[in-house]
Amino acid sequence: MTESLPANAVVRVGRASFDPGNFEKFEALITKQAEYLVPAITRLPGLLHWYTGVSPDGSMVQISIWDSEEHAKQMDDLKEMAVIARGEMEAIGGIFERPIINYPMAWTI
């Protein structure tokens, strides 16, 4: 099944790593953060999909699909993500890969 997406859609991929011994703390924090991140992110124009996953191997990923590069870049300055959530994750040992990359959509299934 193929979904129709805007011609200039982008995939935004954010990654972080942490000590696998802190998995339970990280998983609990990710769940707590959804309470304030979901409303903040869904207010932004252009969001099509959002996925957050955390692995017991010490890795976290956030993948989002946006209708344009301009709309994806809104995440760079979203206070709830760039300051609050990042600070909370770093406080328990999260290390973020920089830069966060927006990939122009090539194809979908």
Side-chain angles (χ1 to χ4, degrees):
M1 179 176 190
T2 303
E3 179 180 354
S4 178
L5 294 172
N8 55 344
V10 299
V11 178
R12 181 178 177 88
V13 180
R15 294 179 42 102
S17 59
F18 57 91
D19 180 332
N22 287 334
F23 172 71
E24 289 180 8
K25 283 187 202 177
F26 229 82
E27 186 177 45
L29 179 59
I30 295 293
T31 300
K32 176 184 147 264
Q33 288 177 335
E35 295 172 9
Y36 64 85
L37 286 174
V38 170
I41 294 167
T42 56
R43 280 194 299 269
L44 300 174
L47 176 67
L48 302 174
H49 299 282
W50 186 281
Y51 309 93
T52 296
V54 60
S55 167
D57 293 331
S59 181
M60 190 266 313
V61 66
Q62 292 176 321
I63 299 170
S64 52
I65 313 297
W66 297 84
D67 66 356
S68 69
E69 175 84 11
E70 176 187 8
H71 284 153
K73 286 184 176 183
Q74 297 172 106
M75 291 303 301
D76 294 339
D77 301 317
L78 184 66
K79 178 183 173 185
E80 291 86 348
M81 179 66 81
V83 177
I84 300 169
R86 182 176 176 188
E88 290 175 338
M89 288 184 197
E90 288 176 342
I92 60 170
I95 301 167
F96 288 85
E97 290 184 15
R98 292 285 181 230
I100 293 175
I101 298 176
N102 298 324
Y103 299 88
M105 184 75 69
W107 56 274
T108 67
I109 296 178

